[in-house]
Amino acid sequence: MKYWSNLGWILLIGFTIDYEIKLTEMAKLELTKSFKSYYSAATTAELATMEKGLFLTINGQGDPNGEAFAENIGALYTVAYGIKFLCKKADSDFTVSKLEGFWWVEDAKGDPRQAPRDQWCYELAIRMPDFVTRQQLSASVMSAEKKKQSTLFRNVDLKTIEEGRCVQIMHIGPFSEEPVSLKKLEVLMEQQNLKMNGRHHEIYLSDFRKTAPEKLKTILRHPVK
């Protein structure tokens, strides 16, 4: 009888642990699932409308293969994970989402793709849950600055971005072959009598440090009017 009693308690404890794990998993906000249309695109050019969102951002200029670009990515993710841990303590955990980049050149007269890479301007971004606050941003920046002994984290900002109507396409392959996909966006814009209305936008669905170039998935997006 004692054996069966102990077994009952073991099963009850096991059930409780499983239930708590499932509740924890359910409680963690997955932005790629909550905003599925934002992180989705067809492999053919299409029209879409993007809602307003809250983002961590950091600005820079120069070659994306350069050291400064990598340092900015590192600073952005460090602050993002700092905010995540603060939210987790407050029982509002979330998964840090995909890296994004908004790209432009200051000289708008020419083709930006033909500009030297050292003239490329960018704003890197990671989408945040709407409940993230500037107080959490400040706390994360101060913590990172203290640990890393660097003022670079002060360049990270929290802001709202709304693109509205866009053309977009899922590009599969190396970044060097993006012009083929961008041409498809241009064709759609001509067909719909649309013009560019903002910065070129990329969402990096793949980790380009670990993924083979031919398998990279990148959403290419142009706001239009």
Side-chain angles (χ1 to χ4, degrees), residues 5-24:
S5 177
N6 290 339
L7 179 61
W9 277 110
I10 292 170
L11 291 173
L12 178 59
I13 292 170
F15 172 80
T16 303
I17 292 172
D18 286 344
Y19 182 69
E20 288 179 349
I21 289 173
K22 288 179 181 178
L23 281 178
T24 301

Side-chain angles (χ1 to χ4, degrees), residues 77-139:
Y77 269 103
T78 298
V79 175
Y81 275 99
I83 291 174
K84 169 192 163 59
F85 294 138
L86 289 172
C87 289
K88 186 176 182 179
K89 288 182 180 179
D91 295 324
S92 299
D93 197 10
F94 65 93
T95 300
V96 174
S97 199
K98 305 297 183 180
L99 179 68
E100 308 182 33
F102 298 85
W103 298 86
W104 73 97
V105 292
E106 296 297 344
D107 182 7
K109 295 179 181 179
D111 185 345
R113 289 170 294 184
Q114 302 302 320
R117 288 191 168 204
D118 61 359
Q119 295 180 17
W120 289 7
C121 300
Y122 58 84
E123 183 173 43
L124 299 175
I126 298 174
R127 189 161 188 167
M128 291 280 107
D130 293 337
F131 53 72
V132 169
T133 66
R134 295 202 69 84
Q135 288 78 10
Q136 289 170 325
L137 168 66
S138 298

